[in-house]
Amino acid sequence: MSPSRARPRRRGPARPAAPSHPARCRRASIVVALLALVVLVGGLLVLVVTQVRAGAGDLSDEGMAAYDSLRQFLRTSPLKLTAGEFDQYVGQAGQALQDASQQILSGVAAIGSAAGHLVAGGLLTLFATIFLLIDGRGVWHWVVRLFPRAATVNVMVEYVASGRGKARRAGPATVHGAPPASA
């Protein structure tokens, strides 16, 4: 080739190729789906909080009415409790609650811990879902590599035979240099 016809050599680091159109669409659809999920969960949380706040006043009023009706019932019941006796029993119940405050607090802490574990599990699930949506096939191949080499071929053959995977070449495929499984 003559020097005038030679292609000029490109200098500098190679630029990564721009993602193909289907890859961009796939990423965009993943982002849209995850944003929709976040908006849906956020909307449900807002709905629950507003409903609880709207009903808190009514709940307080109903609680006071139930307390007054219990007090009235105990005065007119066969027990014939006086106001002083009722107040004494309420004071004893309050004292029992104060004495058992450690157990109550440990129960509340256990509930908080369970709620924290639930949130952490949800976030881990979301994180795993993102990576499965982005590169599910790569994750599957990584999982297959965890199997012993002798079993890897069988796992991949079963995966392809189930219709969920695509065969890379005709005939018994070898995976990661493992020999084909013998019958």
Side-chain angles (χ1 to χ4, degrees), residues 2-174:
S2 67
S4 62
R5 293 198 162 213
R7 270 174 108 178
R9 249 185 113 169
R10 192 167 181 265
R11 297 185 190 272
R15 282 188 243 154
S20 65
H21 178 67
R24 284 191 305 241
C25 288
R26 188 164 147 206
R27 288 183 186 145
S29 64
I30 290 169
V31 168
V32 167
L34 291 174
L35 285 176
L37 177 68
V38 168
V39 167
L40 178 72
V41 170
L44 288 174
L45 285 174
V46 166
L47 179 67
V48 166
V49 168
T50 55
Q51 292 298 313
V52 168
R53 288 184 74 189
D58 293 339
L59 182 63
S60 174
D61 293 343
E62 288 177 22
M64 291 303 293
Y67 177 78
D68 290 339
S69 68
L70 175 67
R71 191 175 188 144
Q72 182 63 29
F73 170 75
L74 290 175
R75 274 193 211 138
T76 59
S77 73
L79 296 174
K80 302 284 188 207
L81 289 180
T82 64
E85 292 172 330
F86 184 78
D87 291 338
Q88 179 185 359
Y89 289 134
V90 169
Q92 289 175 353
Q95 185 63 38
L97 283 175
Q98 286 180 352
D99 293 344
S101 64
Q102 288 296 89
Q103 289 87 3
I104 293 171
L105 287 177
S106 69
V108 169
I111 291 172
S113 175
H117 288 139
L118 184 68
V119 169
L123 291 175
L124 284 173
T125 302
L126 180 65
F127 186 73
T129 302
I130 290 169
F131 281 99
L132 286 174
L133 288 172
I134 290 173
D135 190 24
R137 181 170 294 174
V139 172
W140 170 251
H141 288 291
W142 178 83
V143 169
V144 168
R145 282 195 302 261
L146 296 176
F147 289 98
R149 288 199 183 267
T152 302
V153 173
N154 293 332
V155 170
M156 287 303 291
V157 167
E158 289 296 322
Y159 177 65
V160 171
S162 70
R164 291 186 293 266
K166 295 180 184 173
R168 295 198 178 196
R169 44 189 126 138
T174 60

